[in-house]
Amino acid sequence: MLPELKDLNTLREALSNAPGPDGNALQGAAERNGQLTKPPGALGRLEDLAIWYASWRGDARPQISAPQVIVFAGNHGVTAQGVSAFPPEVTVQMVMNFEHGGAAINQLAKAAGATMNVHALDLDRPTADFTAGPAMSEEELLEALRVGWTAVDHNADLLVVGEMGIGNTTPAAAIACALFGGDAADWTGRGTGVDDAGLANKTRVVAEGIALHGGSGDGLEILRRLGGREIAAMAGAIAAARALRIPVILDGFICSAAAACLANKSEGALDHTVAGHQSAEGAHAAVLAKLGKEPLLSLGLRLGEGSGGALAINILKSAVACHSGMATFAEAGVSDG
């Protein structure tokens, strides 16, 4: 059972005390992998993925039958500074599209056999412009974290979290810069397609945010000052999944920035996660490198919504299906070379 998220310290304690992988399941899965009807290592990374998944589910021969995709949506006050090629109204419109099943993520979740849930967080009340002050109060941050914390289905056996929020590559870039250092330009990309002038403006905005808030505290405090409600909700869901031993497939740049806020707070906080893909947003590869995550896919995606993570569900399903469904040499009556 998850504890009630009464305050930020509850989340910090949950991260610090979160359970690790099941050692017996890890050993059993590794032993089974060595007995399957294939040459050692012939399935490459699929073998490692299956063993990793088994260890978090506490089952040496697991199945994936109940994946969940959650999309969180939020609006950002910083968009008033012209950091996006699209207006904030698109966030509301896209949420309606999700709810009517018309977006890419709806199709990808369906193809992966995943349930999909959408949570819109106060879209009529954008966060504050982080160049003028903190994006959220502590209570606003806590409310957003709670949405993610309680959105995870306890019966799910795999989780993907995605987002929708016009302008949200800007706070994600600011979070990455604050957590990992370097210049604003190192972390700021074109998002949904701003031109050169737009990129320069966006980089300026990120730099101003870092000048005001950089070095202000741990990952959760950086999230409060520079993030957004949907980014916080993703962090809350990823943290809840850790407490529930539900493996997570990370999506793109913005989801990775949310995850980085947890990793900054607690070593090993992301051990239950894999990176679904490397997006076309320039700094995503750098964030994944900082997190020590090798992406499963690299297809030039830059959509968000959880699309890359949902696409990777079938890779993990395939890894687990081979691991749990293949016969051993003894079962198949095949000579073990």
Side-chain angles (χ1 to χ4, degrees), residues 80-104:
Q81 298 209 36
V83 296
S84 175
F86 291 88
E89 295 79 33
V90 172
T91 303
V92 175
Q93 294 162 2
M94 282 303 300
V95 167
M96 293 180 63
N97 195 26
F98 297 146
E99 291 174 343
H100 288 93

Side-chain angles (χ1 to χ4, degrees), residues 166-214:
I166 292 301
N168 62 8
T169 56
T170 300
I175 288 169
C177 189
L179 293 178
F180 301 127
D183 297 326
D186 297 334
W187 303 101
T188 309
R190 295 184 184 274
T192 49
V194 296
D195 59 16
D196 288 348
L199 178 60
N201 177 58
K202 188 175 175 182
T203 304
R204 171 194 62 80
V205 169
V206 172
E208 289 184 8
I210 295 301
L212 186 60
H213 303 293

